[in-house]
Amino acid sequence: MKAVLKQYSTLLKTLGFMIMLSVLIITLLKTQSPKEKRTEITYSIEVVKENGNWLYKVYRDDLLYIKQEYVPAVYGKQRFASKNDANQVAQLVLNKLQKQQLPLITKEELIACKIAFQPL
C-alpha cells in the first residue's frame, strides 16, 4: 500500500511540475512574440486658408497631428505668402515623417524651395 501511495505521490508531483512548466512556456510565448504586429502609421496633409492666411495641417491616422500657421525656422510669426508655399513646406514635413525623421524644417530647406520669408 505504501508503494502505491509513493507512486501516486510521485505521479502527482510530476503532473504538477508539467502543468507549471506548460503555463510558464505559454506565458513566455505570449509576452515575447518575435515580431509584434505593428500597424502602419499613415500621414496626410491639408492646406487651407483660415482667417485670410494660408496654413497646413498634418494628420496622423486621420487625427490632427500638426497645425502650422507660420513659416517654420524663421524669426517671428511670419505667415505663408501663398498656398504653394504652405503646400511645399507641408510636403517636406510629410516626407520626413514618412521616413520616421523629426519634422524639423531648416532655413536652408526654405531657401531651396523658394519659400517667401523675411530674414531678420
Side-chain angles (χ1 to χ4, degrees):
M1 181 76 167
K2 283 186 176 184
V4 172
L5 287 176
K6 188 174 182 179
Q7 285 180 340
Y8 183 71
S9 175
T10 305
L11 180 64
L12 284 177
K13 286 179 185 178
T14 305
L15 186 59
F17 176 76
M18 296 296 281
I19 290 172
M20 287 176 42
L21 185 61
S22 298
V23 169
L24 179 65
I25 290 172
I26 290 170
T27 303
L28 288 174
L29 288 175
K30 283 186 177 181
T31 58
Q32 294 182 348
S33 64
K35 292 183 180 179
E36 291 183 24
K37 290 184 180 179
R38 183 177 168 196
T39 59
E40 190 68 29
I41 297 171
T42 58
Y43 294 99
S44 60
I45 58 172
E46 176 184 25
V47 178
V48 295
K49 195 170 195 177
E50 286 184 6
N51 301 321
N53 299 302
W54 289 105
L55 60 100
Y56 68 84
K57 297 176 183 180
V58 178
Y59 294 89
R60 179 180 171 166
D61 294 331
D62 298 324
L63 296 173
L64 183 61
Y65 188 60
I66 299 170
K67 180 178 180 181
Q68 187 67 41
E69 300 178 47
Y70 306 102
V71 178
V74 298
Y75 182 78
K77 294 181 176 180
Q78 298 184 41
R79 301 281 187 179
F80 289 101
S82 67
K83 180 178 183 178
N84 186 52
D85 282 2
N87 187 56
Q88 284 187 326
V89 175
Q91 287 294 333
L92 286 173
V93 169
L94 179 65
N95 289 338
K96 289 183 179 195
L97 288 170
Q98 289 173 335
K99 293 177 185 176
Q100 297 180 349
Q101 298 174 346
L102 290 176
L104 302 176
I105 303 300
T106 65
K107 284 185 183 179
E108 291 75 21
E109 290 172 315
L110 296 175
I111 292 168
C113 292
K114 297 183 171 109
I115 305 299
F117 68 93
Q118 297 295 318
L120 298 176

